[in-house]
């Protein structure tokens, strides 16, 4: 008879052949959706802030911005910043404590990455087991974790430049930090766009992030 045990994630871990085995633990699903909310608010309010003082020869259409005016956009942005930072720390801490970070995202080798990228381009990359991340997914999730760290650090320089002089200097100064922040956000938005495309191609991944199975 198959026996169930309590996994390090805190969920009931069933035997591999049991279809009732949870794909995503509850803490992961909650932090995922909170991160999604924070990213949406930060991006839309950030675009409004950018429009107030653009450094490229284009502006973001006002219809996709949030805040209405610079002061309002800053308030939304700061609120989402704290949500992203605190929730991100919880997400990262849970991943490390439960060792999910090491099980899900490592090892990551160049050979596996090239193989899976080639399979993806040919449409041969399988998604039969939602519990297992391929090398492309591992790289993408590790990238977005690092990208959010850069986003938060550069945001601190823009928010409290005088209070973080060393961080400001490491980023090349205030104006350089603005560009770092902009491109970090652009990278995050690109990740979200690709992520949504993958969800559209494999709809059950959305259900597993909602129901856990």
């Amino acid at each position: 008879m198959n026996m169930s045990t309590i996994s390090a994630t805190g969920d009931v871990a069933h035997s591999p052949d049991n279809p009732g085995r949870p794909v995503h633990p509850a803490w992961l699903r909650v932090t995922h959706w909170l991160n999604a909310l924070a990213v949406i608010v930060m991006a839309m309010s950030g675009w409004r802030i950018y429009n107030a003082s653009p450094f490229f020869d284009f502006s973001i259409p006002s219809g996709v911005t949030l805040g209405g005016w610079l002061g309002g956009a800053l308030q939304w942005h700061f609120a989402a910043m704290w949500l992203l930072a605190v929730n991100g720390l919880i997400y990262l801490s849970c991943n490390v404590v439960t060792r999910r970070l090491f099980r899900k995202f490592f090892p990551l080798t160049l050979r596996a990455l090239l193989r899976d990228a080639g399979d993806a381009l040919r449409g041969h990359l399988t998604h039969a087991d939602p519990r297992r991340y391929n090398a492309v997914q591992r790289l993408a999730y590790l990238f977005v974790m690092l990208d959010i760290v850069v986003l938060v650090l550069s945001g601190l320089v823009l928010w409290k430049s005088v209070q973080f002089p060393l961080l400001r200097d490491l980023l090349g100064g205030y104006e350089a930090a603005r560009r770092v922040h902009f491109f970090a956000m652009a990278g995050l938005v690109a990740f979200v766009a690709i992520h949504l495309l993958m969800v559209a191609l494999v709809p059950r991944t959305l259900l597993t992030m909602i129901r856990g199975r």
Side-chain angles (χ1 to χ4, degrees):
M1 181 174 65
N2 292 331
M3 300 296 292
S4 298
T5 58
I6 303 298
S7 71
T9 63
D11 286 304
V12 176
H14 301 268
S15 58
D17 59 343
N18 191 332
R21 180 187 177 192
V23 176
H24 301 303
W27 64 261
L28 177 66
R29 301 197 305 274
V30 171
T31 54
H32 171 273
W33 291 113
L34 287 176
N35 274 338
L37 174 63
V39 168
I40 291 172
V41 174
M42 282 199 71
M44 295 180 68
S45 59
W47 292 335
R48 180 64 189 86
I49 295 168
Y50 166 82
N51 282 349
S53 180
F55 43 80
F56 292 119
D57 293 330
F58 66 84
S59 60
I60 309 297
S62 59
V64 296
T65 65
L66 179 66
W69 60 298
L70 179 58
L74 286 169
Q75 290 180 344
W76 278 107
H77 205 68
F78 291 148
M81 175 194 74
W82 285 113
L83 176 59
L84 183 68
V86 173
N87 190 63
L89 283 175
I90 294 173
Y91 169 84
L92 185 59
S93 298
C94 288
N95 266 289
V96 172
V97 170
T98 62
R99 298 191 63 80
R100 181 181 181 276
L101 179 69
F102 309 102
R103 293 196 314 270
K104 290 288 188 179
F105 305 114
F106 297 98
L108 179 62
T109 65
L110 179 60
R111 181 178 180 180
L113 181 61
L114 292 175
R115 181 196 64 222
D116 288 350
D119 288 344
L121 291 174
R122 293 192 298 270
H124 296 161
L125 194 60
T126 179
H127 297 278
D129 185 1
R131 297 175 180 85
R132 179 185 176 276
Y133 293 150
N134 58 59
V136 175
Q137 288 175 302
R138 294 180 183 188
L139 179 64
Y141 285 121
L142 290 172
F143 160 77
V144 81
M145 291 180 202
L146 179 61
D147 187 68
I148 289 176
V149 171
V150 173
L151 192 66
V152 171
L153 293 179
S154 58
L156 286 175
V157 172
L158 302 183
W159 179 42
K160 297 287 187 179
S161 180
V162 175
Q163 286 82 351
F164 296 98
L166 178 59
L167 185 57
R168 182 189 64 228
D169 292 342
L170 288 174
L171 291 176
Y174 183 85
E175 284 301 319
R178 286 187 67 202
R179 286 158 175 78
V180 169
H181 195 69
F182 179 90
F183 286 115
M185 179 55 73
L188 186 56
V189 171
F191 168 84
V192 171
I194 296 172
H195 189 58
L196 291 176
L197 175 61
M198 294 298 101
V199 169
L201 294 174
V202 190
R204 67 172 175 160
T205 58
L206 176 61
L207 296 178
T208 60
M209 191 54 72
I210 295 174
R211 303 182 308 189
R213 59 185 73 241

